[in-house]
Amino acid sequence: MNTKDKIQKFARELDEGLPLKHPSCWNESAESLELLELGKALAGQDFSVSHRTAVLSKVQSSTHFKQEVTNMKIKSSFRRPVMIMASILIAGGLSISFVKPSFAEELFGRVLQKINLGNIIASAKDPNVAPPFPEEWKGKLFDKDGTVITSFTKKLGEVYNADGEQIVNFDGDKLITKSEQEQRDKEAAARILAVKSQAELDKYALFKVKLPKYLPEGFAFDHGEFSKSEEGVNGKYLDLFFTSEHKGQSIKMQFRYSDKETAYEMSTSGKMEKVKVNGAEAVMMNDRTLDWEADGVLYGIATHGLERSEVLKIAESIR
């Protein structure tokens, strides 16, 4: 396996979280295992649990987080930003999540391919190009021994700020401490409206909610989540959760009313291709995530443990 393939494989494995829970399935070098442990340390906890309390994707789902940072348009499919930070620190180059576009360009290297679907833009980055250290982080990031971190070339464990507080996330170019993230999680959880029935989903959404007519065996729709505030429920964004009888398999979805506010960009250092979903152009990444627009709605599906053909079949059943 060449260097590029190894980096892409590592990025996918860290992204999916499998080796973090089952190290025995990562049959590579001790250095790879050490890097995976870095991702686990930075993540701090099982992000599938955090994401239930703090929102659908990376501590805050793009749904709820969008209200607080409307100037940020980078989106990664259902993953905590802390995992992105882990990938940056190891120069693994996973998808970008909620980073200011200018900051994203600073963090990630050369674009090999770009797919523009209008309100969805996807890029494939060169996995062999290590990201430069952001100017905004210089003098603010330290290792466990208190030594300032100035590049991504050395191996890192947990990382801290100048006051010795552990850094577990970032918001644009701002580094977020563990205590700050815990508070954000609590505040985000209080803004979630969980909905069980499709009739109620239609009541709050600003678009017709079309649940998939096909789900792989063992899967079932559980509930949807909207964000709420003193002004009411935000019907532009809907996160959908599904249960599974099979360990190691998952499906998560996000639907958005399509406009300039909800438009997003995403990036990967892995495989990216343009495909069709019911005649509409779509972007598939790493054979497991799918994004497209149809009838004024932006659709995003993130899966784990499913075949590529199954992912497409689920998407095509949304009519």
Side-chain angles (χ1 to χ4, degrees):
M1 185 180 294
N2 60 35
T3 300
K4 179 178 179 179
D5 290 340
K6 286 183 178 180
I7 293 174
Q8 290 181 339
K9 178 180 178 183
F10 174 75
R12 288 194 299 271
E13 294 289 352
L14 178 58
D15 182 12
E16 295 174 2
L18 284 175
L20 304 184
K21 296 180 181 179
H22 308 286
S24 60
C25 74
W26 180 263
N27 192 24
E28 294 291 338
S29 66
E31 181 179 6
S32 296
L33 285 172
E34 186 172 344
L35 293 178
L36 286 168
E37 285 303 314
L38 164 61
K40 180 178 179 181
L42 285 172
Q45 58 182 326
D46 183 350
F47 60 85
S48 64
V49 175
S50 171
H51 129 128
R52 289 296 297 273
T53 57
V55 230
L56 177 57
S57 78
K58 336 140 217 117
V59 186
Q60 285 122 345
S61 75
S62 31
T63 296
H64 313 91
F65 196 46
K66 182 71 176 184
Q67 294 181 334
E68 299 177 6
V69 281
T70 56
N71 62 325
M72 299 181 188
K73 290 189 176 181
I74 305 297
K75 172 255 189 190
S76 130
S77 293
F78 310 96
R79 186 166 51 257
R80 294 180 62 190
V82 67
M83 298 306 293
I84 309 305
M85 185 174 183
S87 72
I88 291 172
L89 293 177
I90 61 173
L94 301 184
S95 302
I96 307 174
S97 170
F98 284 113
V99 183
K100 296 175 184 177
S102 59
F103 190 66
E105 289 302 317
E106 182 178 353
L107 287 178
F108 290 86
R110 184 166 60 97
V111 175
L112 300 178
Q113 179 187 6
K114 179 171 285 190
I115 297 175
N116 190 333
L117 303 182
N119 283 335
I120 301 173
I121 298 176
S123 301
K125 303 288 184 175
D126 188 343
N128 293 314
V129 177
F133 195 84
E135 287 292 331
E136 293 85 348
W137 290 359
K138 289 185 177 179
K140 299 179 182 179
L141 206 58
F142 301 80
D143 63 19
K144 64 180 180 179
D145 299 319
T147 303
V148 66
I149 298 170
T150 59
S151 72
F152 296 132
T153 57
K154 66 174 291 186
K155 296 179 183 179
L156 303 173
E158 295 179 342
V159 292
Y160 303 85
N161 63 14
D163 296 323
E165 299 173 290
Q166 186 180 355
I167 300 297
V168 297
N169 201 352
F170 66 92
D171 176 350
D173 53 17
K174 174 180 170 56
L175 297 167
I176 306 299
T177 65
K178 185 176 181 179
S179 60
E180 289 172 336
Q181 188 59 59
E182 289 172 349
Q183 182 60 34
R184 287 183 174 214
D185 291 353
K186 291 178 182 178
E187 293 173 356
R191 296 195 301 270
I192 294 175
L193 172 66
V195 176
K196 284 283 188 178
S197 71
Q198 184 166 1
E200 272 198 285
L201 294 177
D202 286 329
K203 174 183 176 182
Y204 293 109
L206 295 183
F207 49 86
K208 176 64 178 177
V209 179
K210 300 177 182 179
L211 295 177
K213 293 180 173 62
Y214 170 79
L215 291 173
E217 183 181 354
F219 279 92
F221 170 69
D222 187 72
H223 73 284
E225 290 184 357
F226 295 93
S227 63
K228 60 182 180 179
S229 65
E230 293 179 356
E231 288 73 35
V233 176
N234 186 343
K236 283 191 174 185
Y237 305 85
L238 169 62
D239 302 335
L240 298 177
F241 297 82
F242 298 81
T243 59
S244 174
E245 296 176 357
H246 305 292
K247 187 176 182 180
Q249 292 186 346
S250 66
I251 299 172
K252 302 180 183 71
M253 298 183 185
Q254 184 179 89
F255 297 170
R256 302 178 176 209
Y257 178 83
S258 181
D259 63 14
K260 290 183 178 180
E261 177 192 341
T262 61
Y264 60 86
E265 299 180 16
M266 54 190 179
S267 178
T268 182
S269 62
K271 178 182 178 182
M272 183 180 78
E273 60 179 319
K274 183 183 289 187
V275 297
K276 293 279 188 177
V277 174
N278 296 324
E281 291 188 340
V283 177
M284 175 169 272
M285 289 185 173
N286 302 313
D287 293 333
R288 66 184 194 84
T289 70
L290 201 56
D291 293 76
W292 75 100
E293 179 174 355
D295 301 321
V297 180
L298 305 179
Y299 293 95
I301 299 178
T303 68
H304 174 64
L306 299 181
E307 295 292 331
R308 178 182 185 276
S309 59
E310 287 283 84
V311 179
L312 287 168
K313 192 172 180 179
I314 293 167
E316 289 169 350
S317 74
I318 300 175
R319 294 176 177 270

